[in-house]
Amino acid sequence: MQEYILLMVGAALVNNVILARFLGLCSFMGVTTRIDTAIGMGLATTFVITVSSMANWGVEQYLLEPYGLGYLRTVTFILVIASAVQFTEMTVRKVSPPLFQMLGIYLPLITTNCAVLGVALLLVEGKMTFIAATLFAFASSLGYSLVMVIFAGLRERLALAEVPRLFAGPPIGFIVASLLALAFLGFSGISTT
């Protein structure tokens, strides 16, 4: 049980997919202008990462590895991810049309979000059991969502702040993102000096 807790804390905070592995930066910068859209994107991505990683684990264990089809891994994983995204998109459209409108193009782009594929590939690399893989995927997606919401809150505050014109918009966003990444480095115990 303790190893699962450490695995989840490590996936969410120490090896955060956005701030430590630099995956999913497109949605990180594109959707985080408002907290409500960041929460919606975080929930949608959490569902997609968790479900597609569970399915991709099964595909890897029972199809690709036994039949020596490892060279089809990326294409197969993207196909599974695209299916999960399509299901998520249909559900969000039906359950919350306003959220569907707010997320816009970013919802179908979860298919090409490298964080989703990155987590699936990390599961293969780690040779995890199904339970460990599911917990790792869920914790990774929670870490992704946490960072999205924190950054959206910071960007909402930045919109009200007086920022020099040279740094207004994306430049100050990237500066704040780098400071947030440094803050998350504290979870890993890595010294920056």
Side-chain angles (χ1 to χ4, degrees):
M1 182 64 160
Q2 183 181 4
E3 68 183 68
Y4 290 143
I5 292 171
L6 290 174
L7 176 73
M8 291 181 71
V9 169
L13 300 176
V14 178
N15 294 314
N16 185 278
V17 291
I18 294 176
L19 298 177
R21 298 189 185 273
F22 305 110
L23 299 173
L25 293 178
C26 178
S27 60
F28 175 65
M29 291 305 290
V31 182
T32 54
T33 54
R34 294 180 38 201
I35 290 179
D36 54 348
T37 54
I39 290 171
M41 183 64 155
L43 291 173
T45 306
T46 296
F47 179 77
V48 169
I49 287 177
T50 305
V51 169
S52 65
S53 292
M54 291 166 58
N56 283 330
W57 184 90
V59 167
E60 175 68 24
Q61 295 299 316
Y62 299 113
L63 180 65
L64 299 178
E65 194 174 299
Y67 295 105
L69 300 172
Y71 60 91
L72 293 174
R73 183 174 293 124
T74 303
V75 174
T76 308
F77 284 7
I78 290 174
L79 182 64
V80 170
I81 291 166
S83 301
V85 168
Q86 188 64 37
F87 176 76
T88 304
E89 186 176 0
M90 291 184 317
T91 304
V92 170
R93 181 182 296 155
K94 184 81 170 170
V95 173
S96 179
L99 179 61
F100 181 77
Q101 291 297 323
M102 281 191 292
L103 292 176
I105 189 66
Y106 290 101
L107 191 57
L109 284 177
I110 293 175
T111 303
T112 59
N113 187 334
C114 57
V116 181
L117 180 61
V119 170
L121 292 173
L122 286 170
L123 297 177
V124 172
E125 183 182 296
K127 302 284 186 197
M128 299 179 188
T129 65
F130 180 74
I131 292 172
T134 302
L135 292 175
F136 177 81
F138 182 67
S140 293
S141 60
L142 285 181
Y144 174 91
S145 299
L146 173 69
V147 170
M148 293 282 284
V149 171
I150 290 171
F151 191 61
L154 292 171
R155 286 185 73 179
E156 282 186 359
R157 296 290 303 250
L158 279 174
L160 302 173
E162 287 188 35
V163 177
R165 198 175 72 211
L166 181 64
F167 292 108
I172 194 69
F174 281 111
I175 291 168
V176 170
S178 66
L179 294 173
L180 190 58
L182 282 172
F184 266 70
L185 268 179
F187 289 119
S188 67
I190 297 173
S191 174
T192 58
T193 56

